[in-house]
Amino acid sequence: CFSEGKGGWDTSGCWRNSSSSIYTSCLCDHLTHFAALLDLSKSAIAHKDEHILTFITYLGCGISSIFLGISVLTYTAFEALRRDYPSKILINLALALLGLNLDFLVNSWMASLGISELCVLMAASLHYFLLASFTWMGLEAVHMYLSLVRVFSIYVPSYLFKLCLLGWGLPLLIVVLVLAVGKDAYGQDSNFPKPFDDIDCWFQDDVTFYVTVVAYVFLVLLCNSMVFIMVLYQIRILRAKEPAGSHGGILSNLRGAAGLSSLLGLTWTLAFFTWGPVKVPFLYLFSVLNTLQGFFIFLFYCLMKENVRRQWRIHLFGACCRLKEYSGSTALLVSHIQAHDDDLFAVILGCCNVASGLFLDWLSLWTAETLRVTLVFHFGLVLQTGANRRHVAGSL
């Protein structure tokens, strides 16, 4: 196909569909990676890298969508987990990220339908969930600042309602203003050729994109980075006052920093470094870390939190899985998990061992019950057959 108005033909990702003496029709693979949401340089990359980045994007978004759904269900189903403000803010952030990931996954498919109104709707929806995600990341930072840095103790009426009004209302206001001011801001880019790594249904106007996306994201990330530094400094001061040996080591500190980074979205700052010779490596880092942001939230704030695992044991596995009713080996494993709560690999290994033990216990019970029912059935059938024979012999 014709190569970006420069003359000549470019066959990268395209092939000839049909041709005549007056025209040539081409079909092209359209590749979209996650970094296209904040593509500042707008420069092309190798087709091989586009393929790999697209695969990483769809795999990561799919994984994050699953674990974000599990996180939302966990915190909404168990009342003991959603009593405080951080948990409720986390639920809203997970919902916003879930909407962003699902929107991105179906964007290309919706665009392939060729309905312009639907494409505008998808672009506006993607824009909304992107802004909502960053708004809730910013609200996470504000709440951390008030709780840990300023030690905010003033009562705020309807605190959560005001957070929700800001977290969901501000992005909606921006999207409505974009639709009102520039009706052609959203949609499918009509310019040909369309870069392979552009999103099908997204912004057609670069000015609107830089003002309502890039500037907004930059301001949120700047504030979140400052809060991140202040929170880490405050945590260090608090731990310095604790008795020696009562706080975790380097691994615990790294886990805390990584957990805060996933909540505040600090890995999105990589988008501002995708320039020049380092663009492709940073695109890979951006795509891996940010498509898996939902999985990291599940990892740090579900799987590695003792109160969440306790609710899973109580409600999902039932009484048979409580510590006092475990067998000796299983109780030892659970004790091992609790003793190594700061060790990610020990926690995961312990959970796998407990799950396998529970499965084997269930399998043995099921096998024994099946064998019992089978024996009772066959024994009853034999008795019934003998009775029928005696009845026939008596009648003769």
Side-chain angles (χ1 to χ4, degrees):
C1 291
F2 203 63
S3 178
E4 300 186 9
K6 299 177 182 179
W9 295 88
D10 184 10
T11 60
S12 177
C14 299
W15 62 92
R16 186 176 64 180
N17 182 37
S18 61
S19 62
S20 67
S21 59
I22 58 175
Y23 74 91
T24 298
S25 174
C26 296
L27 296 176
C28 299
D29 292 325
H30 189 84
L31 305 177
T32 304
H33 54 81
F34 206 64
L37 286 171
L38 286 176
D39 187 8
L40 306 182
S41 63
K42 302 290 184 180
S43 59
I45 60 176
H47 196 64
K48 179 182 178 181
D49 292 321
E50 291 172 355
H51 271 290
I52 299 175
L53 288 171
T54 301
F55 175 77
I56 293 174
T57 294
Y58 283 92
L59 179 62
C61 287
I63 293 174
S64 286
S65 298
I66 294 172
F67 286 102
L68 283 170
I70 296 175
S71 301
V72 171
L73 288 176
T74 297
Y75 276 88
T76 54
F78 305 142
E79 185 180 0
L81 299 178
R82 50 182 169 85
R83 292 175 179 172
D84 54 359
Y85 288 130
S87 299
K88 295 174 182 178
I89 297 174
L90 179 64
I91 293 173
N92 285 277
L93 173 59
L95 286 173
L97 287 172
L98 180 60
L100 175 63
N101 281 276
L102 293 178
D103 237 332
F104 197 91
L105 287 174
V106 302
N107 190 283
S108 297
W109 176 71
M110 289 293 185
S112 65
L113 300 178
I115 304 174
S116 58
E117 293 80 7
L118 182 60
C119 193
V120 171
L121 179 63
M122 287 302 303
S125 176
L126 188 62
H127 186 203
Y128 173 76
F129 280 111
L130 178 64
L131 295 182
S133 298
F134 276 95
T135 304
W136 280 107
M137 292 177 203
L139 293 176
E140 283 275 9
V142 170
H143 186 77
M144 288 181 188
Y145 173 79
L146 296 177
S147 301
L148 297 176
V149 179
R150 191 179 173 184
V151 192
F152 191 69
S153 59
I154 301 176
Y155 173 72
V156 179
S158 305
Y159 180 62
L160 185 63
F161 173 76
K162 293 177 180 178
L163 291 181
C164 290
L165 189 63
L166 185 61
W168 299 110
L170 180 60
L172 180 61
L173 178 62
I174 295 175
V175 172
V176 170
L177 287 176
V178 171
L179 288 172
V181 174
K183 297 181 179 180
D184 298 329
Y186 297 125
Q188 195 164 9
D189 194 353
S190 58
N191 296 325
F192 185 82
K194 183 179 178 70
F196 286 120
D197 57 351
D198 274 4
I199 304 174
D200 283 293
C201 297
W202 192 224
F203 282 94
Q204 297 186 94
D205 180 28
D206 288 341
V207 176
T208 307
F209 168 72
Y210 283 107
V211 172
T212 63
V213 175
V214 178
Y216 190 92
V217 169
F218 176 78
L219 290 176
V220 172
L221 290 178
L222 180 62
C223 295
N224 286 9
S225 299
M226 296 172 60
V227 172
F228 177 75
I229 295 173
M230 289 187 289
V231 168
L232 288 184
Y233 179 73
Q234 189 68 22
I235 292 176
R236 182 180 179 182
I237 293 177
L238 293 176
R239 289 188 173 180
K241 298 179 181 179
E242 296 177 354
S246 61
H247 51 80
I250 297 178
L251 183 61
S252 177
N253 295 332
L254 290 177
R255 188 188 71 171
L260 288 176
S261 299
S262 63
L263 276 187
L264 302 180
L266 298 184
T267 53
W268 288 78
T269 55
L270 294 171
F272 297 95
F273 299 96
T274 54
W275 299 86
V278 298
K279 176 177 181 176
V280 174
F282 274 94
L283 285 178
Y284 277 97
L285 285 175
F286 182 94
S287 298
V288 171
L289 294 177
N290 293 318
T291 57
L292 292 175
Q293 183 180 4
F295 171 73
F296 292 140
I297 289 177
F298 168 81
L299 180 65
F300 291 113
Y301 295 95
C302 284
L303 185 61
M304 298 183 67
K305 288 182 73 70
E306 171 58 28
N307 59 335
V308 176
R309 296 200 305 271
R310 187 184 304 114
Q311 294 299 317
W312 283 346
R313 290 196 296 266
I314 293 174
H315 295 283
L316 298 184
F317 297 110
C320 64
C321 299
R322 293 175 185 171
L323 181 60
K324 63 181 181 180
E325 298 182 9
Y326 279 179
S327 62
S329 59
T330 309
L332 182 62
L333 288 173
V334 176
S335 301
H336 174 75
I337 296 173
Q338 295 173 344
H340 298 80
D341 189 53
D342 291 336
D343 191 343
L344 170 63
F345 299 103
V347 170
I348 295 176
L349 180 61
C351 290
C352 293
N353 287 331
V354 170
S356 61
L358 292 173
F359 174 75
L360 291 176
D361 291 341
W362 172 83
L363 184 61
S364 61
L365 290 174
W366 179 83
T367 304
E369 181 66 18
T370 303
L371 181 60
R372 185 186 68 82
V373 172
T374 303
L375 290 176
V376 169
F377 174 76
H378 284 287
F379 184 69
L381 184 61
V382 170
L383 291 179
Q384 183 65 30
T385 304
N388 290 339
R389 288 178 178 176
R390 288 194 297 271
H391 177 70
V392 172
S395 63
L396 292 175

